[in-house]
Amino acid sequence: MRRGWQRGLIELRQSFTNGPELVSHFLWPVLMLVALFFLRHRDFGSSGMLLGALALPSILGMNAAMGMVSMSQQLTADREDGTLLRAKAIPNGMVCYLVGKVVSVAGGLIVDLAILLIPGLFLVHGIAVGAAHWFTFVWVLLLGLVATLPIGAVLGSVFTTARSQGLIQLPMLGLIAISGIFYPITALPGWLAGIGQLTPVYWMGLGMRSAMLPSEAVAVEVGHSWRHLETVGVLGLWAVAGLLLAPVVLRRMARRESGSKVAERRERALRRVA
């Protein structure tokens, strides 16, 4: 665990001293800030709420939930280039590797959220900031990370190449579209809203809105309630499912890894480049 923590901190530091990764840290928050700039003065129907104020906490929840995609991408890439095989070959190597990935991905996400949150607080009006609001923000974020990162590890074990892993982007974009991130889910047809509420993306967005918006903003939510118990329940179920599945899937995947498979994937990658 200690070595994994150190490994995660090293990877996190490297991600902020590497040009391409540094761009990836800033690109998405900057794009979201541009969207918030155009939404900041628009009203949501006759509710009196600004659409920008509703969107900022929702986007924060979405970004946190997207940690499962980042985890999946990194696991798939490391599986393809043989990093996982090398970790498997040393004592406690897989534990060290997984702890390091959780630390680096979670740390990167928190920094990305700060890049979006701090300018967003000055850009968008109608955000509530107080001790109780920050407490809710923290527990929703921590529970959301526990719910999504193990699922990301499972997804990273399913795909064998980084190219095939890219297929996950399309369904994720679809889920984001129906999860009430850029517009309250009550504006969607009932069947789409039902599907959206099955995902952790919606519940993290709802939890963030409950943490950052004034109490009257609850009028635009389902049932006119922040549904904190339901948020804990759904995210808790995702967390339990991920924590139960991830070790089993990762052990099974590690047993199937071999030097010949890594070499075969490298050859295929070289042929694509050629």
Side-chain angles (χ1 to χ4, degrees):
M1 294 290 290
R2 184 174 64 254
R3 294 297 182 187
W5 175 263
Q6 293 171 346
R7 176 192 178 109
L9 292 179
I10 291 171
E11 290 183 354
L12 184 61
R13 184 177 68 247
Q14 289 174 340
S15 73
F16 286 98
T17 56
N18 179 283
E21 291 191 42
L22 197 59
V23 170
S24 70
H25 279 296
F26 280 92
L27 179 61
W28 186 251
V30 169
L31 291 177
M32 292 300 99
L33 286 171
V34 171
L36 287 173
F37 176 82
F38 289 106
L39 293 174
R40 71 191 191 284
H41 294 315
R42 297 188 62 181
D43 294 326
F44 174 62
S46 58
S47 66
M49 291 295 302
L50 293 174
L51 196 54
L54 291 171
L56 175 58
S58 300
I59 293 171
L60 291 171
M62 176 195 69
N63 283 3
M66 289 293 285
M68 60 182 169
V69 177
S70 299
M71 176 69 83
S72 171
Q73 289 172 336
Q74 295 194 32
L75 277 172
T76 304
D78 288 346
R79 181 183 183 183
E80 189 174 19
D81 67 11
T83 300
L84 281 178
L85 182 63
R86 292 190 292 273
K88 170 189 170 183
I90 62 176
N92 299 317
M94 287 298 295
V95 175
C96 175
Y97 172 83
L98 287 174
V99 172
K101 279 301 169 196
V102 169
V103 171
S104 62
V105 172
L109 276 173
I110 291 172
V111 174
D112 293 352
L113 292 180
I115 294 172
L116 174 60
L117 175 60
I118 295 172
L121 291 175
F122 294 97
L123 183 65
V124 175
H125 300 289
I127 299 297
V129 179
H133 296 91
W134 285 116
F135 175 75
T136 304
F137 181 92
V138 170
W139 74 253
V140 170
L141 177 60
L142 293 179
L143 181 58
L145 291 177
V146 174
T148 54
L149 292 183
I151 297 296
V154 172
L155 293 175
S157 303
V158 171
F159 298 99
T160 57
T161 65
R163 192 175 186 180
S164 62
Q165 195 277 338
L167 296 174
I168 198 177
Q169 302 292 340
L170 291 177
M172 282 301 302
L173 291 175
L175 290 177
I176 290 170
I178 63 172
S179 293
I181 296 301
F182 293 100
Y183 214 74
I185 202 169
T186 50
L188 297 175
W191 66 276
L192 271 180
I195 295 174
Q197 292 176 71
L198 296 175
T199 68
V201 180
Y202 166 76
W203 294 100
M204 291 189 70
L206 178 65
M208 290 295 183
R209 288 193 295 275
S210 73
M212 300 182 66
L213 295 180
S215 57
E216 58 268 20
V218 75
V220 301
E221 299 294 344
V222 176
H224 304 299
S225 170
W226 292 126
R227 300 193 286 174
H228 283 144
L229 289 178
E230 290 88 340
T231 300
V232 172
V234 175
L235 291 179
L237 286 175
W238 277 96
V240 170
L243 292 172
L244 289 176
L245 284 174
V248 175
V249 173
L250 288 172
R251 282 197 299 266
R252 185 176 180 183
M253 178 268 294
R255 285 197 299 267
R256 294 181 175 181
E257 284 298 291
S258 64
S260 60
K261 289 186 177 181
V262 173
E264 182 182 347
R265 288 195 292 266
R266 184 179 293 116
E267 287 296 324
R268 286 201 301 266
L270 290 173
R271 283 198 298 268
R272 286 198 300 268
V273 173

